[in-house]
Amino acid sequence: GAGVSQSPRYKVAKRGQDVALRCDPISGHVSLFWYQQALGQGPEFLTYFQNEAQLDKSGLPSDRFFAERPEGSVSTLKIQRTQQEDSAVYLCASSSSRTWAGELFFGEGSRLTVL
Amino acid sequence: RKEVEQDPGPFNVPEGATVAFNCTYSNSASQSFFWYRQDCRKEPKLLMSVYSSGNEDGRFTAQLNRASQYISLLIRDSKLSDSATYLCVVTSGDSWGKLQFGAGTQVVVTP
């Protein structure tokens, strides 16, 4: 498809498990973003990449969260030793712009539930 | 205090009526402003950018007041399909890639 693709769409994890969420951005988009959206809240910034470089990771809530984009296309968000407070929708977005992030194209999200 | 604050609503609007709502932002260094729309259990999508001089896109009008640090959105002739959550978005002053989203204003258009 032509849009941002995320997998899995739904993930249930037991507390303490590690999870990996994948994002396939729109082809040719240099910028990629991860956001976390809790129920009833707006998306909260986690991190962003320009090509393979992670330019800002200030939003990652703890060192249990790690994101990578090794070849400048597909990205993976990894959460180690999941906690109940990690339950949220994880949104990936991409943008063609190198200089501003106005129009982000979001994927449908990965809904994580930690039991 | 959150960087972007919005009235959560819901704003219940009869079909054909006009509705307007604001959002306030705290970072005076923010340079770019946007409204995104999010339907229930769907991803956010860009509705419109907000320019200093104000701008209009069909039935939607956005205004920016830098002095008071608020942004407004007005919807005229509301349609049932306008029912959604409207997210106010501003750029962080220190990182161009870091968009700050408000929690959203819910609009419900009724027949």
Side-chain angles (χ1 to χ4, degrees):
Chain A
V4 176
S5 178
Q6 292 188 245
S7 62
R9 289 290 315 282
Y10 303 91
K11 175 70 179 177
V12 179
K14 292 184 179 176
R15 193 160 54 109
Q17 279 186 327
D18 297 349
V19 299
L21 308 176
R22 176 190 166 105
C23 173
D24 207 333
I26 293 172
S27 178
H29 277 194
V30 300
S31 300
L32 184 146
F33 308 80
W34 284 100
Y35 281 80
Q36 179 192 59
Q37 187 171 24
L39 192 63
Q41 300 298 313
E44 294 281 344
F45 172 83
L46 294 177
T47 185
Y48 85 93
F49 295 83
Q50 193 168 95
N51 296 308
E52 68 280 1
Q54 189 174 21
L55 298 186
D56 188 334
K57 56 180 182 179
S58 62
L60 295 176
S62 77
D63 58 8
R64 296 186 296 104
F65 287 71
F66 173 76
E68 61 182 4
R69 194 187 185 197
E71 297 177 0
S73 55
V74 171
S75 177
T76 303
L77 176 68
K78 297 179 179 177
I79 309 172
Q80 297 178 321
R81 304 181 304 282
T82 51
Q83 304 294 315
Q84 285 190 317
E85 62 262 28
D86 300 335
S87 296
V89 176
Y90 290 85
L91 294 165
C92 176
S94 69
S95 167
S96 60
S97 177
R98 292 178 184 273
T99 58
W100 65 281
E103 181 158 18
L104 302 188
F105 294 86
F106 283 88
E108 292 182 293
S110 291
R111 185 176 297 272
L112 173 64
T113 302
V114 182
L115 302 177
Chain B
R1 184 182 169 211
K2 288 193 170 234
E3 286 205 32
V4 181
E5 303 254 18
Q6 294 185 248
D7 182 339
F11 285 68
N12 294 297
V13 187
E15 197 174 4
T18 296
V19 62
F21 43 89
N22 296 337
C23 98
T24 58
Y25 61 95
S26 60
N27 191 341
S28 59
S30 295
Q31 293 294 320
S32 301
F33 310 88
F34 312 92
W35 284 103
Y36 275 68
R37 171 195 168 127
Q38 187 170 28
D39 294 312
C40 188
R41 301 180 77 86
K42 296 288 190 180
E43 72 275 21
K45 293 183 179 177
L46 179 66
L47 178 67
M48 61 196 299
S49 300
V50 185
Y51 303 122
S52 296
S53 54
N55 50 300
E56 196 173 297
D57 183 359
R59 298 180 294 105
F60 297 83
T61 300
Q63 297 280 352
L64 168 64
N65 185 317
R66 283 189 186 270
S68 301
Q69 294 184 202
Y70 76 82
I71 305 149
S72 64
L73 182 66
L74 181 145
I75 308 174
R76 284 186 303 277
D77 188 23
S78 297
K79 312 292 185 191
L80 296 177
S81 57
D82 294 334
S83 297
T85 295
Y86 292 85
L87 300 167
C88 175
V89 187
V90 307
T91 52
S92 169
D94 59 347
S95 172
W96 73 261
K98 188 175 177 177
L99 291 185
Q100 302 280 12
F101 284 73
T105 295
Q106 186 185 8
V107 172
V108 179
V109 182
T110 54

